[in-house]
Structure formats: structure tokens, C-alpha cells
Amino acid sequence: MTIRKYVKTKQTTNNVLMIRPNNFTFNPQTAKDNEFQDEETYEKLGVDGVREGAKQHFDESVDILRKNGVNVLVLEGDVEKPFDSYSPDEIFPNNWISTHEDGTIVIYTMKSKMRAEEANRLPEVMQLFKQAELNIRNKIDLREKTDKILEGTGSYILDHESKTIYVALSQRSEPEAIWELIREHPLIDHAITFRSVSEHNQPFYHTNVMCSFGIDYSVICLDSIKDKDEKEAVIQALNKRNKGEHTLIDISFAQTEKGFCGNMLELKNGETGERLFVMSESSLGVNGFTDEQQAFFKKRGKILALPTSKIIEPIGGGSARCMIAEIFLDTEEQA
């Protein structure tokens, strides 16, 4: 019998983990099911152009967050390694690790062998947490429990209040791993699964490219959910979020696939409490959020647009949210 301690949950935080990309490049393993990756852009920019550009845009992103009251713990990227053992996607840590309010950390299974290497940095991440006096009370390592794939908060979106995860099933989000997480995790009790496809009818590789949750809203590409019953179930569940005080922001395929509007994240300014809506600069462009949708965010807080469009998105296939692993662990003073 598992005794679950009650922990008051929260949807946002001002503490995050980010990993500086020293090996950023095009990953052919992930490109097999990630439509957002563009090998032509990689060939045009070249190895050095991609790596140096990604580091510059990463540093600019960290600076934007810190200037707005976000505490960013930065782990320097791995040293350069041979092709068969390096970490081209280390800039996206949210796929292999997550932290939670009760002191739990979770390590996830990864589909790409090169991406699985990223979890070898766990001891260094743990040291960062220790230096920040963060409390870790429980560790769940899904790699020890299943060979099925679930790639962290890329694979699922968590509604903290209802302890429910929303998962678009794909090669990187398999049912068996979802149920294993629910069995093991004290703060995840339910899953709503559905199938979501791109405009080209290919499954989205991660849920967090077509869906994002804030405190009182959900951004989602409803057109990507083709099954009427699954779509209706998702809509009904979303509209119960935040005790019914909730706005559903429906985005188009163009906004999802070109504007990366689904790949955003709400954080907060730890100094002022201001709500921060972190997104790609693409999300404010021609295929980005409409004026009305942008006004929704501006009325509630501040939009932070990160410089991810020129290199990080076309090469890695991920955007602003993918770069950020939220830290929900408490400190010694808060315990």
C-alpha cells in the first residue's frame, strides 16, 4: 500500500534547469519522427555555425529569463565526444528529467540512443540541486521499471491541481510507460490519452508541441485530434481546469507547426510575482498568436520571446518550452 502525503500543488515556478549546448547539431535518430527538424538548414549553416549560434541563442535566452526574475540553474553542456556517444540534444533536458513539489524527481526513458546518453549527467544535476539547497526526497527511474518510452514533460502535460497528465500517443509516448509513471508517482493519478497528428497526418512526436497549460488557460491544436470522441473528452477535461475558471486557446496547424505556439511555458517572476509567458519569437511572427490571443497574455502578465527560431527550432525540432526543465523542489527553508 502506498501512502501519499498531501502536497499543495502549483502550476508554475520561478526556478528552472537549463543545459548549455556544447554539442548541438542535427540528430538523424530523432529526425525519423520529428517533422520540425530541417536537415537543409543544418547543411546551410554548417557544424560550427550551428553550434556557436545555438550557444549564443541559449545565453541570450538565459539572460532574458534572469532579467525577469527567473532563477536559472545552468549546467554546462557535455564536452565534445565521438559521434556515436555525444549529446546533440542536451539543450532539451525536460525530456529526461522532471521535478515535483513533494520532492520527487523522475528520470525517463528515451527513444533515441543518443538522447538516452543525456541522463548520464544526472549526478551533475543532483550536485547543482544540492548547491541550491533543494530537497530531493524520492527518485523514480523509469529506466529501471520499463523498456517502453515516455520522454518527460515533452510526452505529457501535467495539470498539477487535478494530478492529471494529458498525453498524445506516439513512438515516444507509449501507454505502458504512462501507466508505470502513474503507479509510481505520488502526484500523478490520472491520464487522458489521445492521438494527435500534424497537417501531414503524421503523429506529433511530443505532446508539448501542440499543447501547453498555464494557471487559467490551455493552448492546444484541436484540429490535430481527429477522433471526435477523443477531442470532446479533452475539451471537457480542459474546461474543468482551475475550477472551471479557464480559457481554451485553440491554435491552428500553422501556429503549431510554424509558430511553435503550443511549445510555450508559463513561469513567474520570483521578485515581483508577475506571470511570465515564455515562448519562441516565432510565436509572435506571421504564423504566431493572433493579436487577440497575444492580448490575452499581455492582460495577465508579460510575454518573453526567446531567440529560438533560426537555429534551435529547425535543427533540434524543439523550441522555448523544450529548453526549460521546471524545478518544483522546495528549499531547506521551505521544508
Side-chain angles (χ1 to χ4, degrees):
M1 178 180 179
T2 300
I3 299 175
R4 296 189 170 184
K5 181 178 70 172
Y6 173 75
V7 176
K8 185 177 181 180
T9 59
K10 54 188 177 183
Q11 193 67 39
T12 65
T13 180
N14 67 300
N15 297 312
V16 303
L17 167 70
M18 298 178 70
I19 298 182
R20 193 167 188 264
N22 282 334
N23 287 292
F24 190 72
T25 189
F26 187 86
N27 185 342
Q29 293 180 356
T30 57
K32 293 177 182 178
D33 65 344
N34 184 339
E35 288 187 82
F36 298 96
Q37 290 180 247
D38 181 10
E39 192 166 12
E40 289 185 7
T41 300
Y42 171 65
E43 292 174 349
K44 179 181 178 181
L45 294 172
V47 175
D48 292 338
V50 166
R51 287 188 177 177
E52 294 309 310
K55 284 188 281 190
Q56 177 184 336
H57 294 162
F58 174 89
D59 291 342
E60 291 172 0
S61 297
V62 170
D63 188 52
I64 290 171
L65 293 171
R66 285 177 170 166
K67 285 181 177 178
N68 285 277
V70 178
N71 179 33
V72 185
L73 299 185
V74 175
L75 179 66
E76 189 68 25
D78 216 346
V79 294
E80 190 169 338
K81 292 182 176 181
F83 180 79
D84 61 351
S85 63
Y86 72 160
S87 303
D89 298 302
E90 61 192 353
I91 194 174
F92 303 135
N94 78 303
N95 298 139
W96 67 267
I97 186 171
S98 66
T99 70
H100 303 264
E101 297 92 324
D102 65 340
T104 295
I105 67 167
V106 185
I107 312 302
Y108 297 90
T109 49
M110 305 293 291
K111 179 173 179 283
S112 162
K113 290 183 179 179
M114 283 194 286
R115 291 225 58 190
E117 293 277 335
E118 295 171 40
N120 292 335
R121 306 297 304 280
L122 179 61
E124 295 163 87
V125 171
M126 297 284 277
Q127 183 62 29
L128 269 184
F129 290 167
K130 182 178 180 180
Q131 291 171 355
E133 299 183 336
L134 296 171
N135 288 307
I136 298 172
R137 303 181 181 89
N138 180 34
K139 183 176 81 170
I140 300 170
D141 194 334
L142 289 183
R143 300 172 302 174
E144 299 172 354
K145 301 179 182 300
T146 181
D147 60 357
K148 300 302 181 182
I149 305 302
L150 189 69
E151 297 191 342
T153 54
S155 287
Y156 69 80
I157 314 297
L158 173 60
D159 177 32
H160 293 240
E161 183 180 51
S162 67
K163 301 182 181 180
T164 301
I165 56 174
Y166 291 67
V167 189
L169 299 175
S170 71
Q171 295 179 40
R172 306 198 202 182
S173 306
E174 299 183 298
E176 297 88 343
I178 296 169
W179 309 133
E180 190 64 44
L181 177 65
I182 292 173
R183 278 191 290 270
E184 295 289 332
H185 204 302
L187 295 182
I188 298 177
D189 289 343
H190 309 284
I192 295 176
T193 62
F194 53 92
R195 289 159 292 175
S196 173
V197 297
S198 69
E199 195 164 22
H200 300 103
N201 207 38
Q202 297 299 312
F204 281 123
Y205 75 101
H206 278 159
T207 310
N208 76 354
V209 298
M210 54 76 65
C211 183
S212 175
F213 292 168
I215 294 172
D216 55 358
Y217 66 89
S218 303
V219 175
I220 188 168
C221 180
L222 290 174
D223 283 344
S224 71
I225 306 174
K226 301 301 184 183
D227 185 279
K228 292 182 180 179
D229 292 337
E230 290 182 349
K231 182 183 296 188
E232 185 59 31
V234 169
I235 292 173
Q236 288 187 12
L238 291 179
N239 284 331
K240 293 178 182 177
R241 293 192 60 236
N242 195 42
K243 298 180 174 63
E245 297 294 322
H246 172 267
T247 298
L248 195 157
I249 301 174
D250 187 12
I251 55 176
S252 67
F253 278 118
Q255 289 176 301
T256 304
E257 299 172 14
K258 297 178 181 178
F260 278 88
C261 293
N263 199 240
M264 64 168 288
L265 179 67
E266 180 176 344
L267 297 174
K268 66 180 178 181
N269 186 318
E271 299 170 2
T272 67
E274 183 179 30
R275 296 172 68 179
L276 305 173
F277 306 105
V278 183
M279 59 186 69
S280 165
E281 59 194 359
S282 301
S283 300
L284 302 180
V286 63
N287 293 301
F289 286 111
T290 65
D291 290 343
E292 181 180 2
Q293 290 167 339
Q294 289 184 41
F296 173 90
F297 296 119
K298 291 176 181 178
K299 182 179 179 180
R300 289 160 175 79
K302 184 177 183 179
I303 293 175
L304 300 184
L306 305 189
T308 55
S309 64
K310 293 181 175 62
I311 294 177
I312 294 169
E313 288 168 16
I315 306 303
S319 188
R321 194 277 173 267
C322 296
M323 293 167 55
I324 300 170
E326 303 123 294
I327 299 173
F328 288 102
L329 303 171
D330 59 33
T331 63
E332 296 291 345
E333 292 182 354
Q334 295 169 323

